[in-house]
Amino acid sequence: MSSASMPAQDSFGTRRILTTAGQAYEYLSLPALAERGFPGVARLPFSLKILLENLLRHEDGRTIRPDDIVALATGTPRGSVNREIAYRPARVLMQDLTGVPAVVDLAAMRDGMTRLAGDPRRINPLVPVDLIVDHSVMVDAFGAAGAFATNVKREFERNQERYAFLRWGQRAFDNFRVVPPGTGICHQVNLEYLAQVVWTAAGPGGTMVAFPDTLVGTDSHTTMVNGLAVLGWGVGGIEAEAAMLGQPMAMLVPDVVGVKLTGALPDGTTATDLVLSVTQMLRRHGVVGKFVEFFGPGLSTLAIEDRATIGNMAPEYGATCGFFPIDIETLRYLEFTGRDPARIKLVEAYAKVQGLWHDHSTPDPIFTEVLELDLATVEPSLAGPKRPQDRVPLGTVAASFARTLGDAGRADAPRSVQVSGRDYRLSDGDIVIAAITSCTNTSNPSVMIGAGLLARKARARGLAVKPWVKTSLAPGSQVVTDYLEKAGLQADLDALGFDLVGYGCTTCIGNSGPLDEPIAAAIDSGDLAAAAVLSGNRNFEGRIHPSVKVNYLASPPLVVAYALAGSMRVNLARDPLGVGSDGKPVYLRDIWPMNREIADVRRQALAPDMFRVRYGSVSEGPAEWRAITTASNGDLYRWAPASTYVQSPPYFVGMPKEPEAPGDILGARALAILGDSVTTDHISPAGSIRRDGPAGMYLIEHQVSPADFNSYGARRGNHEVMMRGTFANIRLQNEMVPGTLGGVTRYVPSGEILSIYDAAMRYKAEGTPLIVVAGKEYGTGSSRDWAAKGPRLLGVRAVIAESFERIHRSNLVGMGVLPLQFTNGASRRTLQLDGSESFDITGIAGGVKPRLEVLCRITRTSGRTDEIALLCCVDTLDEVEYYRHGGILQYVLRRLAMN
């Protein structure tokens, strides 16, 4: 059933007609459902109303039954509904680092379908899919007028194989569009162009059907579009592939935490400061696996771009989504970004007849629980040095960094090294990367104009960026360039070294590019705690750059300010940024732009025509894109055996038509024992590939020079590289090998210290199953499916952790890896695990059930055994089926082959 289908029976009699702008639309009415004995529908959170409409529209008596609808319509919002439902998003959004492996999987599924004597064309998206190439550009060139052209040239040189593969996919699959490199970051393109708020499609008999715009995306920050009242969240590529192929997404009805916003942001604060406060507050409260919905009088003071900033960082505060309702600001934004006037009228009319419209007279929804935030209490802040939730008020950043040095045992004597061939020294805390980047902030004209105005004032006072700082500007869309240039602010940013380097994620995803060699050498020789400041959403260890130990998130104006100061040891609330051309000190307060100044420039510089022109030919792309050819033109992809970018994965090779029953995990060894907050960057890094690691050695063996390694993210279409890169983050701390950093482990039979990949291959050859043991919040961060695929291909059968992040838990199940949770206060520490033990996990062979309790017997080298209970975090009946089949893709392939 497609996303536009209407139920054959309409069990609740909710089918209605809405006519607007001369067009009639069918829709399923939530107020009509309320009138039929479900009055609680009117006070449901807006996000749950959208889920309820989704159930109504896809009711089929099998995957979605009337009692599912009743359960959601009558559930008690103040407590968990505790009901599994089947959700069907209207569309799927992808970016290239996660999208390429997803298309690789689809191509491999077509091969698998052929081997099962099925029609390969059945492996085809049934809902619209947009893949936006935004994660590939690196900051090789910077601080010069030609940086953008140089980086584009290098991007196409590096990624020809990947892009040719995507060009094949664009022709081979229906409902699949590729937005070429250089257009912008997927979430900003989604916000500015793709999202419609109310989606329409042809229904039965050619009637047009109107329904809420919903999506899932293969990037955790898909939640950015929640700011535009579009319900969407990030999933792993394997889950997105299943959704593309018509598989409903099983999910538990979430609790919804309401955040009541009051007051208004004070002058001098930004949406970045607000989202860092929200992230800290909600991470402390605990919202993992929950919806968060914002309401209250403070909503009217926030522009859509501010809301999008808050929605964007939902993964950082742990929520599935951070949703805002449709209101007058939504309509203003749609008009401002050049959307079709008829669509805008439909959005307003549909929202009002469906009870999805919010204004001052709207009763507050009934939430599971309510928190409150007075916007007037928000203050300028950063977050760091390694977690987005660790907010630090601007005035205490220097002291906070000093504590970081204290933790490293050098608070009283920061290290300093002379930079070879330069007239300056580099010290602990010096900022070597200052990047205005990422979807989180570059989608917001207020903070981008603020950065430009601060640069203008700094330039007028004669300030300059410190010579050791690598500066870059990577906007989320080409529209940003248009309005910065129209306002004359790009010239001011250029003068400080913030020249355009590309339209993509760049530094935020770890594509920072190389540091100047003398600077990198000084950092390495002194083991300096060098810093990065970026306007991004993630600052995990080892993510931004291998040579940078501390990373801080900040608003774009503060990124410019810190580039001027040059060090995290400078207290920007008190110390001067530098000395002006008049010989007098210049302070941040002297050049900080006020809200009125920003608003004046915004009114003069932005216009709807900018959006219409830039998105008028969104699929065309630059000449380099149009010139790409592919050797494959048919339904099946012709794999190139010599390719180091795209290879057919082994998931479906030798797959029988019927699944084999999963067995207990006996005699397992620990591949790694890890601590708290292990991120998907720790498990499957996206950044640079080390020459001396297993992935680097593989590439060298295949005649790839280190200069052409590219990144792990770009190599995700090749499982051989990604297996070798699993757990290869240089900051990974495996407690099986105390005192070490990086992807190493102890191979227990001999006691040797080996790379995790080499140890896994030895265990695999011996037939020894593997597990990973971890602490709290295992798998936090990105939605990357390779953080589950990699361990599975290494032979990991289960992960035992104190808690899991939502997306990663789902990805593990989707790859046939059991997520198991410690119970009764047990942990790796209480059990004193060191990796020498063997593990028997029993209770699986009898059949996995949702939230099953299994037993784990731990056998020590002394012969002593401990037996503990573990909670099997397979949450739904559909997930049970995925695990039984060895993974979600195997399940979907078998179903399609049988029908």
Side-chain angles (χ1 to χ4, degrees), residues 63 299 428 574 588 736 745 748-749 796 870 880:
T63 57
L299 281 186
D428 282 330
R574 181 193 63 205
L588 181 62
M736 291 177 62
T745 192
V748 175
V796 173
L870 300 172
V880 169

Side-chain angles (χ1 to χ4, degrees), residues 7 111 120 164 413 432 516 839:
D111 293 342
V432 294
D516 284 348
F839 301 81

Side-chain angles (χ1 to χ4, degrees), residues 370-648:
V370 174
L371 306 177
E372 188 166 337
L373 175 64
D374 181 357
L375 299 178
T377 64
V378 173
E379 58 184 329
S381 304
L382 285 78
K386 60 182 180 180
R387 296 194 309 175
Q389 63 263 40
D390 294 333
R391 186 185 68 88
V392 188
L394 180 63
T396 63
V397 171
S400 172
F401 175 74
R403 288 194 295 273
T404 300
L405 287 183
D407 293 341
R410 60 174 91 163
D412 297 329
R415 297 180 183 176
S416 179
V417 176
Q418 177 66 42
V419 179
S420 176
R422 309 287 170 85
D423 60 355
Y424 54 81
R425 299 178 68 83
L426 207 60
S427 304
D428 282 330
D430 282 350
I431 297 163
V432 294
I433 292 175
I436 300 175
T437 180
S438 103
C439 50
T440 309
N441 290 287
T442 65
S443 64
N444 194 328
S446 295
V447 293
M448 296 301 289
I449 290 169
L453 287 171
L454 190 141
R456 173 172 291 175
K457 294 181 178 186
R459 183 185 182 191
R461 299 292 290 269
L463 296 182
V465 168
K466 296 298 185 289
W468 52 82
V469 183
K470 180 175 184 176
T471 50
S472 61
L473 169 63
S477 82
Q478 297 172 346
V479 175
V480 179
T481 296
D482 291 340
Y483 66 70
L484 288 176
E485 289 183 346
K486 185 175 180 181
L489 295 175
Q490 188 61 59
D492 298 299
L493 289 162
D494 291 348
L496 295 186
F498 286 94
D499 298 78
L500 175 69
V501 297
Y503 297 100
C505 303
T506 62
T507 302
C508 190
I509 193 62
N511 283 354
S512 307
L515 297 176
D516 284 348
E517 184 54 38
I519 291 175
I523 293 171
D524 291 343
S525 66
D527 190 26
L528 299 179
V533 179
L534 65 149
S535 64
N537 43 45
R538 297 241 163 99
N539 55 341
F540 301 137
E541 289 181 297
R543 178 183 178 96
I544 305 305
H545 191 282
S547 297
V548 176
K549 289 187 178 179
V550 295
N551 305 290
Y552 288 87
L553 306 180
S555 66
L558 282 178
V559 171
V560 177
Y562 270 100
L564 297 169
S567 174
M568 301 309 302
R569 301 189 311 278
V570 177
N571 184 339
L572 264 62
R574 181 193 63 205
D575 303 332
L577 298 173
V579 177
S581 52
D582 59 1
K584 297 179 180 179
V586 180
Y587 295 87
L588 181 62
R589 60 180 177 269
D590 299 329
I591 61 174
W592 189 264
M594 292 294 100
N595 292 356
R596 175 185 49 78
E597 299 174 78
I598 294 170
D600 288 345
V601 173
R602 177 173 176 155
R603 276 193 299 270
Q604 297 165 12
L606 272 81
D609 280 349
M610 289 180 175
F611 296 89
R612 295 191 188 101
V613 170
R614 283 298 192 180
Y615 291 114
S617 54
V618 71
S619 296
E620 187 174 312
E624 295 92 338
W625 175 260
R626 298 193 300 273
I628 292 174
T629 59
T630 176
S632 294
N633 292 307
D635 294 338
L636 300 179
Y637 185 69
R638 291 168 53 189
W639 306 96
S643 174
T644 57
Y645 276 99
V646 178
Q647 285 294 329
S648 180

